Amino acid sequence: MDSLRKMQPVKRIALVAHDNKKADLLDWVTYNKTVLASHKLIATGTTGTLLEKILHVPVKKLMSGPLGGDQQLGAMIAEGKLDIILFFWDPMMAQAHDSDVKALLRIAVAWNIVIACNRSTADFVLTSLLMEEEHAISIPDYSGYLNRMKE
Ligand SMILES: O=C(CO)COP(=O)(O)O
C-alpha cells in the first residue's frame, strides 16, 4: 500500500536548465521571483549561480549537472529531500550526460515527485493552490520489489 509524505507550505524546489534553456528559465524566474523567494531553492551548479544573481536569495548549489549535479538531485529525490523539480531540459540537443538526465527524470517519476519540464507546466505548478498549503503526496509502494528475493 502506498504511504504518504507531507509537503510543507514552504516547498523544496529544484531548478535546472540546460544551456539552451537557461535564458528561458531565467526569464521565467524573474517573472516569478517573489513566489520563488518564499520557498527553499536548490539548483545544479551553473543554473544556481545564474539564479542567485537574479533572485538575491540563497540557492543551495549542487555540482554542475554534467559533473554529478543531476545525480545529486536524483539522490535527494530518493531520500525524500525534494518536493518539486522544474527542469527546463533541451529537447533539441543531445547532452554529454544524457544518461544522467534520463536517470533524473526516471527517479522523479518513480518517487511521484512534482516535475515540470517546460515553462507552461512550471506556470501551472507555481500557481497551484497547493503551493501555499501543507499537502500529502503518496509514496509508491515498492515492497513487492524489495521483498522479491525473500520467499
Ligand atoms: O546539465 C544540467 C542538467 O542536466 C544543468 O547543469 P548546470 O546548471 O550546471 O548547467
Side-chain angles (χ1 to χ4, degrees):
M1 212 174 74
D2 286 8
S3 51
L4 294 176
R5 180 168 67 76
K6 269 187 198 158
M7 280 190 199
Q8 299 305 317
V10 174
K11 307 287 188 291
R12 300 162 301 177
I13 306 176
L15 296 142
V16 190
H18 285 154
D19 285 2
N20 288 338
K21 290 284 171 183
K22 281 186 170 62
D24 196 14
L25 179 68
L26 293 178
D27 188 57
W28 184 83
V29 162
T30 304
Y31 186 76
N32 293 293
K33 214 167 162 165
T34 314
V35 181
L36 285 169
S38 65
H39 296 281
K40 281 190 188 150
L41 305 178
I42 301 111
T44 46
T46 319
T47 305
T49 303
L50 295 168
L51 289 174
E52 279 186 331
K53 285 185 191 155
I54 294 180
L55 289 169
H56 306 294
V57 293
V59 175
K60 180 182 164 74
K61 295 192 290 296
L62 306 174
M63 311 278 290
S64 180
L67 300 179
D70 287 16
Q71 295 195 34
Q72 287 180 292
L73 283 176
M76 288 179 78
I77 291 170
E79 290 170 355
K81 293 178 179 166
L82 263 192
D83 297 314
I84 296 173
I85 174 160
L86 307 175
F87 188 1
F88 285 29
W89 57 269
D90 182 357
M92 295 302 283
M93 185 173 277
Q95 307 288 318
H97 60 304
D98 264 338
S99 49
D100 299 24
V101 174
K102 188 177 176 187
L104 176 54
L105 297 173
R106 182 190 164 276
I107 207 75
V109 171
W111 287 110
N112 191 27
I113 289 296
V114 177
I115 178 163
C117 293
N118 59 29
R119 195 171 172 141
S120 305
T121 314
D123 281 337
F124 272 76
V125 169
L126 209 70
T127 54
S128 164
L129 293 177
L130 301 177
M131 283 301 293
E132 293 164 22
E133 295 174 10
E134 186 179 278
H135 177 66
I137 61 159
S138 66
I139 303 174
D141 178 10
Y142 291 115
S143 59
Y145 168 75
L146 291 169
N147 294 327
R148 73 198 183 288
M149 298 293 173
K150 288 186 182 159
E151 283 117 41

